[in-house]
Amino acid sequence: MSFTFDWSVRVTDIIMVVAVLVGPIIAVAITLWTQDRQEKSKAKRDLFLLLMGERQHLVISYQVARALNTIDVVFSGCAPVLQAWHKYYELLSQPPSQLRVHTWLELLTAMASELGYSIRQTDLDKFYLPQGHADDLDFQREVGREWLRVLKATHSLSIERRE
């Protein structure tokens, strides 16, 4: 009795076993890599859209301050954004100026470019602020100043019960 190997069948069997074992592992790795990229892209886009939506507010909100503090992480590896952010950060400790406004627009432009948006700085400088919002902020400031004036000028408050 002679026994012969058919090497072509043997090689095909080995390839099939390897494909069955390795194929799902590669598929999972590709899926995880794709999900990671999508999450990072979404984080960049969400951060950019938040800053864009509040780019010309009269005061820096807690959300914007928090978003600014995450730029180093969300845009890590993106040198143009990080350079613009660090330049802007240095200017935040100084009184508002044209340089600070210009650097803010540079930061937003760098983020837009990283995300694939073709936005010019002149487009970034356009914004809508309802007059009612500005009036409300002015009113709140005026009321706050008046309360502070009254409280500083009052040494004590006497409360009398009325019958």
Side-chain angles (χ1 to χ4, degrees):
M1 171 184 297
S2 93
F3 186 70
T4 60
F5 275 124
D6 185 1
W7 287 103
S8 64
V9 173
R10 189 67 140 155
V11 170
T12 305
D13 290 343
I14 293 171
I15 290 172
M16 284 297 261
V17 168
V18 169
V20 167
L21 295 176
V22 176
I25 294 170
I26 292 173
V28 168
I30 290 172
T31 300
L32 292 175
W33 177 76
T34 303
Q35 285 176 346
D36 184 56
R37 284 184 51 123
Q38 288 173 343
E39 287 175 11
K40 287 179 180 179
S41 178
K42 183 180 180 334
K44 287 179 182 179
R45 191 173 50 256
D46 290 348
L47 174 60
F48 173 70
L49 291 175
L50 173 67
L51 295 179
M52 279 295 294
E54 297 198 25
R55 69 185 177 277
Q56 294 292 341
H57 271 217
L58 303 173
V59 295
I60 294 178
S61 68
Y62 289 109
Q63 283 182 312
V64 170
R66 186 174 176 176
L68 290 172
N69 287 322
T70 65
I71 290 174
D72 284 312
V73 173
V74 174
F75 283 91
S76 67
C78 181
V81 172
L82 295 178
Q83 288 171 350
W85 159 237
H86 294 150
K87 184 177 175 184
Y88 182 69
Y89 176 79
E90 292 298 321
L91 295 171
L92 284 173
S93 62
Q94 300 173 12
S97 66
Q98 279 300 103
L99 177 60
R100 190 161 112 182
V101 171
H102 180 71
T103 306
W104 172 244
L105 295 178
E106 285 178 355
L107 173 60
L108 292 175
T109 302
M111 288 179 170
S113 177
E114 169 69 13
L115 292 167
Y117 297 120
S118 59
I119 299 175
R120 298 181 310 243
Q121 282 188 4
T122 54
D123 294 331
L124 293 174
D125 204 23
K126 297 180 208 169
F127 63 94
Y128 172 66
L129 179 65
Q131 186 59 45
H133 292 185
D135 293 345
D136 186 47
L137 186 59
D138 289 342
F139 176 74
Q140 289 176 20
R141 284 182 182 156
E142 186 178 336
V143 167
R145 277 194 299 272
E146 190 62 22
W147 269 110
L148 186 60
R149 183 193 64 76
V150 168
L151 292 174
K152 282 184 173 183
T154 305
H155 298 293
S156 65
L157 293 174
S158 62
I159 301 173
E160 296 178 18
R161 185 174 178 180
R162 292 185 188 182
E163 302 273 341

